[in-house]
Amino acid sequence: MAQEWDRLVKLAFELDARAALELCDIHTTEPVKGLTTEYLNDVRADLVFRADDDVVHIEAQSWRDPDLERRLVHYWAVLSLQHGRPPRQIVLLPRGGDWYDGLYQAGDLTLRYRV
């Protein structure tokens, strides 16, 4: 069931990425371009877009994944290197939940993302 929610979120972005990004408070003046991540080693980010000059990374998460925030750090680093700028990261919780608060800290590392 959780995977169905993730699939529906991805489908919404496939059908109209610009409108879906606006629901995430990402407004663009240029057409939104979907970016592929399959060519990157070990990166299977759900959705990555170029919206104006921003790289936007969206993860749909229907269940609590204890490794999600570490994966976000990995995606942030790889996408930053690939595109020459840090991505704006958003975690969508289509079924609701309060598993993530938008802040991950480990050692001296701090990653902020939107939920």
Side-chain angles (χ1 to χ4, degrees):
M1 181 69 159
Q3 292 172 346
E4 292 299 313
W5 283 103
D6 291 356
R7 191 173 63 78
L8 287 172
V9 168
K10 292 175 188 176
L11 180 61
F13 278 90
E14 287 175 19
L15 292 174
D16 192 342
R18 190 175 189 161
L21 285 170
E22 286 185 4
L23 290 173
C24 298
D25 204 27
I26 305 286
H27 305 283
T28 66
T29 57
E30 299 175 11
V32 173
K33 179 181 178 192
L35 303 174
T36 183
T37 59
E38 283 77 27
Y39 59 89
L40 302 173
N41 292 337
D42 299 325
V43 174
R44 296 287 182 256
D46 282 352
L47 300 159
V48 180
F49 298 96
R50 181 168 302 276
D52 291 341
D53 287 331
D54 288 329
V55 173
V56 180
H57 166 219
I58 296 173
E59 283 293 309
Q61 199 65 37
S62 296
W63 54 283
R64 186 187 183 291
D65 178 357
D67 294 325
L68 174 70
E69 292 174 318
R70 286 188 294 278
R71 284 190 296 115
L72 289 176
V73 170
H74 179 101
Y75 297 161
W76 185 95
V78 171
L79 293 169
S80 293
L81 287 169
Q82 183 66 32
H83 298 288
R85 67 192 71 223
R88 296 172 67 179
Q89 291 181 299
I90 300 170
V91 174
L92 293 180
L93 304 174
R95 295 175 51 201
D98 58 357
W99 312 305
Y100 309 106
D101 61 4
L103 177 67
Y104 174 69
Q105 294 181 303
D108 291 335
L109 174 96
T110 299
L111 177 71
R112 294 182 192 282
Y113 57 93
R114 290 188 34 213
V115 179

